[in-house]
Amino acid sequence: MIRFDGVSKQHGRQILFVAASAVIHRGEKVGLVGPNGAGKSTLFRLVTREEEPDEGQVAIDRGVTVGHFSQDVGEMSGRSAVAETMDGAGPVSTVAAELHELEHALADPARADELDDLVERFGHVQARFDELGGYALEARAREILAGLGFSPEMMDGDVGALSGGWKMRVALARILLMRPDAILLDEPSNHLDLESIIWLEEFLKAYEGAILMTSHDKEFMNRVVSKIVEIDGGELTSYSGDYDFYERERAIADAHQQAQFDRQQAMLKKELAFIERFKARASHAAQVQSRVKKLDKIEKVEPPKVRKQVDFEFRGAPRSGEDVARLAGVVKRYGSRTVYDGLDLLVRRGERWCVLGANGAGKSTLLKLVAGTAAPDGGAVAVGASVKMGYFAQHAMELLDGEKTVWETLQDAFPRASIGSLRTLAGCFGFSGDEVEKRCRVLSGGEKARLVLATMLYDPPNFLVLDEPTNHLDVTTKEMLVRALAGYEGTMLFVSHDRRFLGALSNRVLELGPDGPVPYGGGYTEYVARTGREAPGLRELARHA
């Protein structure tokens, strides 16, 4: 269906692909992996013809339609979320827009004198809309938007009033409604909550077309894909399996290559020692020449590429009192909506609470109340004795000074720290070499998140309040953070949509459901086993295909 034949591509001095080849067959679900900057987005642009290869070709079978969801959604305003979703469905969207305008015109008293003409035109347009399957399409659009977390009010409201994250969901809904023969998905789960991620998994597993996608969510990748294409060193390598299979196979291949490299190096060392020892002796001249020629013909084995993995180690945090945070009879309202009405919660030292709940359940509000950035309308919130809190909010990245470099930001935060320790800190969070000289205003969302986490964790608090800390983080940084926090001795209260993060780090669960907050002893893994669901908004456990 889609073939990459001997593709080479270079951006300035950066070589992305060198005679790279791969194929995506009809109906295959493929995960695209590779380090940041390896060329994943460029590969998508080659498929959509936004870029052309320098050499080789990207061939797409005749008649194959391709839909592309990227993080750059563009401007959206002036229409409802449903209308914007249907806009990608071709001619029917134009007819739907006219039908909507005619409905408003018929209800407008100022146009009463045009009533006969409007009624006649409405009949023609309505018939055309029905002929194109418009009513079924609108129902499908609403079903997809509901799956992605939209309420009926949000579906019919102006899309321009939505946040960037919700506009991303509308853009994703458009692609899913199109049902092209092949879908290119660039981080589709980035702005979704857990319920929406699980719904999307089920949708994509049932989707009959081909999928090529990137994702920093390992669990999501494992549930959806059955093949991995890796970009590394300018090459495309295919693995027939999910992400965990790819990691195992890659580790085995690296071990074999290292063993081959070591054996060849030992042989070369032995041969070179012989040549060096006997090169001046006439009696051994023929043997020396024979071995020199042999070495010249040997195809050198390269060592496996080093996968940079730097671990961050926490300093010891000061010990807090036994009661870290207490909420008693807390009431919180936003306008006419009551989020909490008499919430009680005690967080004790060493506990790691993960907070689960559908959109609007009050997860971020709870964290704001504990962190003191929001005040309760009733009841009391108290933080215990000797508690030093670190709060990572979803807007924390916006507080960085755009004109300062990464290095200046770290130095300002820790003026007494040695250059060596700050270099190590920067390296742990993915800023090596010249990357520390980048100004904050040019950093990506993931880079900003890493920098904020670095400044928070270097001099560790004993109580971490984290609101979606893994948003925008790549797989390597996410795994490093999980390993680091697994060894953290303080207390945690956090929200995350990453199931590996939830399972590895929680030992308590607070479920915010329609019947009010329900605490569970044991972590997220125990919660799933006990309730039979992976999120409060789901009625049954989404199982592996």
Side-chain angles (χ1 to χ4, degrees):
M1 177 184 262
I2 301 173
R3 290 179 303 283
F4 304 92
D5 293 326
V7 170
S8 295
K9 184 68 180 175
Q10 189 168 340
H11 282 169
R13 292 187 188 176
Q14 187 185 15
I15 297 172
L16 296 173
F17 303 111
V18 181
S21 297
V23 62
I24 298 164
H25 300 287
R26 286 188 180 273
E28 273 192 329
K29 296 174 172 62
V30 182
L32 184 62
V33 303
N36 284 336
K40 297 189 289 291
S41 296
T42 300
L43 197 75
F44 280 172
R45 288 195 292 272
L46 290 172
V47 175
T48 59
R49 308 298 193 205
E50 293 171 66
E51 292 191 34
E52 293 294 330
D54 299 331
E55 294 177 18
Q57 65 171 349
V58 179
I60 301 172
D61 287 353
R62 183 175 296 174
V64 167
T65 54
V66 178
H68 180 204
F69 168 75
S70 73
Q71 296 293 306
D72 183 14
V73 299
E75 271 304 308
M76 291 183 186
S77 64
R79 287 191 290 194
S80 68
V82 170
E84 192 70 43
T85 301
M86 291 173 65
D87 186 52
V92 70
S93 63
T94 307
V95 179
E98 186 179 356
L99 195 63
H100 188 64
E101 287 173 14
L102 286 166
E103 287 171 350
H104 280 286
L106 286 167
D108 186 355
R111 301 185 67 177
D113 57 336
E114 303 173 56
L115 190 59
D116 290 344
D117 291 340
L118 288 171
V119 168
E120 185 180 356
R121 180 61 186 159
F122 184 83
H124 289 307
V125 174
Q126 190 177 45
R128 178 63 177 150
F129 187 66
D130 192 28
E131 186 184 308
L132 291 169
Y135 289 108
L137 191 71
E138 182 173 339
R140 269 178 47 216
R142 289 183 179 276
E143 183 184 340
I144 290 169
L145 287 168
L148 294 176
F150 283 78
S151 66
E153 294 75 24
M154 291 173 72
M155 292 182 203
D156 293 314
D158 185 348
V159 72
L162 299 176
S163 68
W166 284 100
K167 286 179 180 175
M168 288 271 191
R169 297 189 193 208
V170 173
L172 178 58
R174 283 178 65 161
I175 301 297
L176 300 181
L177 183 65
M178 276 173 62
R179 289 188 178 267
D181 300 313
I183 298 182
L184 311 180
L185 298 172
D186 184 9
E187 298 292 343
S189 63
N190 243 8
H191 293 273
L192 302 183
D193 56 23
L194 190 49
E195 286 83 358
S196 299
I197 289 172
I198 293 166
W199 176 88
L200 182 60
E201 283 173 357
E202 295 302 311
F203 184 98
L204 294 177
K205 282 192 285 187
Y207 176 67
E208 293 179 358
I211 296 170
L212 179 62
M213 75 173 188
T214 64
S215 178
H216 293 150
D217 186 331
K218 279 188 178 183
E219 191 62 31
F220 181 72
M221 193 87 93
N222 278 334
R223 304 275 181 107
V224 175
V225 309
S226 55
K227 178 177 174 178
I228 296 289
V229 171
E230 180 194 49
I231 306 176
D232 198 11
E235 297 178 351
L236 295 175
T237 307
S238 298
Y239 296 81
S240 297
D242 62 14
Y243 192 90
D244 284 346
F245 174 84
Y246 151 73
E247 283 197 314
R248 289 193 300 271
E249 288 298 301
R250 185 66 207 244
I252 292 168
D254 281 354
H256 285 167
Q257 191 171 344
Q258 185 66 52
Q260 278 185 296
F261 175 76
D262 291 343
R263 282 196 297 271
Q264 189 179 73
Q265 289 299 302
M267 181 272 291
L268 291 173
K269 186 178 178 182
K270 188 176 177 182
E271 293 294 317
L272 289 169
F274 180 90
I275 292 167
E276 189 63 30
R277 182 178 177 188
F278 295 109
K279 67 182 179 183
R281 296 189 189 182
S283 59
H284 286 74
Q287 287 174 281
V288 168
Q289 279 302 109
S290 171
R291 295 195 182 202
V292 168
K293 286 178 182 177
K294 176 186 168 185
L295 292 188
D296 285 341
K297 291 178 182 176
I298 284 178
E299 187 176 335
K300 297 289 193 295
V301 175
E302 295 293 327
K305 294 182 182 70
V306 176
R307 307 203 184 289
K308 195 167 58 176
Q309 180 177 300
V310 187
D311 276 345
F312 175 79
E313 291 186 10
F314 277 97
R315 298 176 178 185
R319 186 185 175 96
S320 70
E322 285 299 313
D323 292 354
V324 174
R326 182 187 294 272
L327 290 81
V330 165
V331 177
K332 185 63 183 175
R333 301 184 187 91
Y334 289 109
S336 61
R337 189 169 72 90
T338 299
V339 182
Y340 294 115
D341 189 9
L343 170 65
D344 295 314
L345 178 68
L346 174 62
V347 178
R348 297 178 65 82
R349 185 171 62 82
E351 291 180 339
R352 295 158 172 254
W353 286 87
C354 71
V355 185
L356 302 179
N359 268 318
K363 301 187 295 292
S364 293
T365 298
L366 174 60
L367 270 55
K368 288 175 184 174
L369 289 166
V370 171
T373 62
D377 297 315
V381 179
V383 174
S386 306
V387 170
K388 178 186 174 187
M389 187 189 302
Y391 175 45
F392 180 91
Q394 290 189 41
H395 67 273
M397 287 103 71
E398 298 166 17
L399 304 179
L400 293 169
D401 185 337
E403 292 309 309
K404 287 184 179 174
T405 65
V406 170
W407 185 247
E408 288 167 345
T409 302
L410 293 176
Q411 282 190 312
D412 286 353
F414 310 108
R416 296 184 180 180
S418 69
I419 289 176
S421 65
L422 288 187
R423 285 276 178 197
T424 302
L425 174 67
C428 286
F429 284 88
F431 298 104
S432 55
D434 293 341
E435 289 180 323
V436 294
E437 299 305 325
K438 281 185 177 178
R439 295 200 182 277
C440 291
R441 59 181 160 77
V442 303
L443 298 180
S444 67
E447 288 170 326
K448 287 178 180 176
R450 296 203 308 263
L451 180 55
V452 171
L453 286 166
T455 57
M456 179 188 297
L457 301 180
Y458 179 71
D459 184 17
N462 51 29
F463 182 31
L464 287 175
V465 179
L466 307 173
D467 194 356
E468 296 286 7
T470 61
N471 257 8
H472 306 293
L473 296 187
D474 59 37
V475 170
T476 304
T477 309
K478 201 183 288 186
E479 293 290 307
M480 180 277 291
L481 187 61
V482 167
R483 288 192 301 272
L485 290 173
Y488 170 67
E489 295 179 354
T491 306
M492 290 173 62
L493 175 68
F494 64 94
V495 172
S496 176
H497 64 235
D498 188 286
R499 283 158 290 185
R500 292 208 179 202
F501 192 86
L502 291 168
L505 298 175
S506 60
N507 59 24
R508 299 285 188 280
V509 174
L510 182 66
E511 178 189 85
L512 303 178
D515 301 324
V518 180
Y520 290 84
Y524 177 73
T525 305
E526 290 82 3
Y527 165 84
V528 173
R530 189 183 303 181
T531 64
R533 60 178 182 266
E534 292 182 300
L538 302 176
R539 290 290 161 257
E540 60 184 41
L541 182 61
R543 302 193 183 279
H544 290 262

